[in-house]
Amino acid sequence: MEKFFKLKENGTNIKTEIIAGFTTFMTIAYILAVNPSILGATGMDKGALFTATVISSLIATLIMALLANLPFALAPGMGLNAFFAYTVVIGMGHSWQTALTAVFFEGIIFILLTAFNIREAIVNSIPLNMKRAISVGIGLFIAFIGLQNAQIIVNNDATLISLGNITSGSGLLAIIGIVIISVLLSYNVKGAILIGILITSIIGIPMGITKLSPHGSFIPPSIEPIAFKFDFTNIFNPNMIIVIFTFLFVDLFDTVGTLVGVCTKANMLTKDGEVPRCKQALFADSIGTVVGACLGTSTVTTFVESASGVAEGGKTGLTSLVVSILLFISLFLSHIFLSIPSAATAPALIIVGLFMMTPILEINFEDYTESIPAFICIIFMPFAYSIAEGITFGVLSFTLLKLISGKVKEISVFTWILSALLLLKILMPLIQTMIK
């Protein structure tokens, strides 16, 4: 252990790393219940989704442990799974098989970008405030989905949406769940989200909302219904190309942001201010995405909740190895995770939405050529019910305002290219009509 993970060199020990691993697992384990719930909205088999979620998370985290020797856990990313289900499949009308194919291609591209060290150029060329706005917008979008899943917010033909019934049923249970998780977080309880989901699910039993299976099995559900179910038919049309790059950009920004942020907090950055073994860490992320797509789940990314384990002193891949072992054990507890109702996972979505809002504090609101595009990006995601549309109109408004205000030098070459692709995406229906 000492020789492989270099514990003394990193100022840690086996006990500290094990505790850090348990802490990180407790904070990410909610994804094992939430991911099948979100992707299940597309018609995918929830049992198979659970198994795919666990195995893809296990493999990616194990690669992080053994290849990068960093204390980070990976799993299907929040926001990216919502984009997969509610934008690509439900919103755009594509099959989940096509969406999985897009995730697969995104993973392959990520591997190539990592291998050829192109990721830095991409990250640096995207406007900083736009990166922050994307995180904030996704946070609002996720929270909105949680409110809908809990039926706290419901459809209203007169006003589009309105407050649902919160005095009984799913709405009441979700409100209880929000209160529980909020109190646990206020007391800095490790694993607050997972504990909150479990307590809320138990409360849902006498309410008739949580349905326990009398014949729970410890055998993991088969992934056969969703594994390797790719559909290449529509993958190269303009809309899907935008989808692929949206998966890629969000995953890239999430991963790099998490690595930099958590390593900074743990004083793990190199003398040059870089993330140690960053290339290996990005390989873990990209390989996990390819494996996840093959197994049948959305983009796998580095979880920012890994910061909880780092805060406990985790500094090496041994922390990640412990998380991998715990993920393997959870593989045989599917009957517990799959019995959790959406009303119990909805509070997790809402609270995670809060976590993703923090970059708004760093957005430059004084420069309107920065703040207006950021604002457009943020509000379009929940209001247009699409992460892709938020990015589209945010980037286009950024380019347009910079151009009109004489700040052309602040527009990078890559941003020009991206803006042209996004504009083409918007104009494509008109172009197709003119051709006909």
Side-chain angles (χ1 to χ4, degrees):
M1 288 287 186
E2 166 58 37
K3 184 177 180 180
F4 187 87
F5 293 111
K6 302 177 181 177
L7 301 180
K8 289 183 180 179
E9 181 181 322
N10 287 282
T12 184
N13 55 59
I14 293 178
K15 179 182 178 181
T16 299
E17 295 290 302
I18 291 176
I19 293 174
F22 269 90
T23 302
T24 295
F25 175 78
M26 286 293 287
T27 58
I28 72 161
Y30 71 88
I31 196 67
L32 304 185
V34 175
N35 197 54
S37 176
I38 291 177
L39 298 187
T42 67
M44 300 174 75
D45 183 274
K46 289 187 177 181
L49 281 168
F50 172 83
T51 303
T53 300
V54 175
I55 296 177
S56 61
S57 303
L58 191 161
I59 292 173
T61 304
L62 194 59
I63 294 173
M64 181 69 78
L66 304 180
L67 183 63
N69 192 23
L70 289 171
F72 299 110
L74 297 91
M78 293 295 297
L80 288 161
N81 51 12
F83 175 69
F84 180 106
Y86 298 102
T87 297
V88 180
V89 179
I90 297 175
M92 299 173 67
H94 294 289
S95 67
W96 58 261
Q97 292 90 340
T98 300
L100 279 179
T101 311
V103 173
F104 176 76
F105 273 101
E106 178 248 317
I108 296 296
I109 294 172
F110 202 169
I111 289 176
L112 294 175
L113 292 176
T114 303
F116 291 100
N117 298 318
I118 302 174
R119 65 193 186 280
E120 292 93 349
I122 294 177
V123 172
N124 293 334
S125 63
I126 298 296
L128 181 59
N129 280 318
M130 195 55 57
K131 296 175 189 176
R132 295 162 176 163
I134 289 172
S135 175
V136 176
I138 291 175
L140 287 178
F141 186 49
I142 290 175
F144 185 51
I145 291 171
L147 291 169
Q148 283 187 308
N149 287 349
Q151 297 178 25
I152 294 174
I153 297 297
V154 296
N155 176 67
N156 186 307
D157 292 336
T159 61
L160 295 183
I161 57 174
S162 61
L163 183 66
N165 180 12
I166 59 172
T167 59
S168 63
S170 296
L172 176 60
L173 181 60
I175 294 293
I176 293 172
I178 294 172
V179 172
I180 292 172
I181 294 176
S182 299
V183 171
L184 292 173
L185 287 171
S186 298
Y187 281 94
N188 296 315
V189 176
K190 304 300 181 184
I193 292 179
L194 176 62
I195 295 171
I197 290 175
L198 295 176
I199 294 175
T200 305
S201 298
I202 293 172
I203 295 174
I205 296 175
M207 295 176 66
I209 298 173
T210 302
K211 309 291 184 182
L212 296 177
S213 172
H215 307 292
S217 173
F218 290 97
I219 300 175
S222 170
I223 60 172
E224 192 278 330
I226 59 175
F228 295 96
K229 295 294 192 293
F230 295 127
D231 181 4
F232 298 92
T233 307
N234 301 313
I235 203 64
F236 293 112
N237 70 41
N239 275 336
M240 287 311 297
I241 290 175
I242 296 297
V243 166
I244 291 172
F245 278 93
T246 300
F247 275 128
L248 177 66
F249 294 147
V250 176
D251 187 14
L252 191 63
F253 302 149
D254 277 358
T255 300
V256 173
T258 297
L259 291 175
V260 172
V262 177
C263 282
T264 300
K265 183 177 180 180
N267 295 316
M268 292 170 58
L269 295 179
T270 65
K271 293 180 180 179
D272 298 324
E274 297 178 351
V275 175
R277 300 172 297 284
C278 182
K279 188 170 185 176
Q280 293 89 326
L282 288 170
F283 265 126
D285 195 293
S286 52
I287 293 171
T289 293
V290 173
V291 171
C294 291
L295 296 177
T297 187
S298 55
T299 303
V300 173
T301 188
T302 306
F303 260 51
V304 71
E305 286 86 348
S306 301
S308 62
V310 171
E312 289 294 324
K315 292 185 177 181
T316 73
L318 181 54
T319 294
S320 302
L321 180 61
V322 172
V323 175
S324 299
I325 294 171
L326 294 173
L327 283 168
F328 178 75
I329 295 172
S330 69
L331 187 61
F332 305 97
L333 301 174
S334 62
H335 59 288
I336 295 176
F337 286 98
L338 293 175
S339 65
I340 296 174
S342 59
T345 57
L349 295 179
I350 296 166
I351 296 298
V352 170
L354 165 67
F355 295 160
M356 299 189 73
M357 289 283 290
T358 53
I360 199 170
L361 298 173
E362 301 175 31
I363 293 177
N364 180 9
F365 285 101
E366 300 300 321
D367 183 347
Y368 290 115
T369 64
E370 296 281 345
S371 59
I372 291 175
F375 179 66
I376 289 174
C377 176
I378 291 169
I379 63 172
F380 262 69
M381 288 188 188
F383 293 161
Y385 214 76
S386 169
I387 295 171
E389 300 300 351
I391 295 174
T392 296
F393 288 98
V395 171
L396 287 176
S397 60
F398 173 87
T399 305
L400 181 61
L401 279 175
K402 291 294 185 182
L403 177 63
I404 295 175
S405 61
K407 299 182 178 180
V408 180
K409 292 183 179 180
E410 296 182 24
I411 309 174
S412 69
V413 174
F414 187 82
T415 304
W416 278 114
I417 296 172
L418 178 60
S419 298
L421 290 172
L422 293 173
L423 184 61
L424 179 63
K425 168 184 174 288
I426 293 175
L427 296 177
M428 189 55 65
L430 178 61
I431 294 173
Q432 291 175 337
T433 302
M434 291 174 65
I435 294 175
K436 292 179 180 178

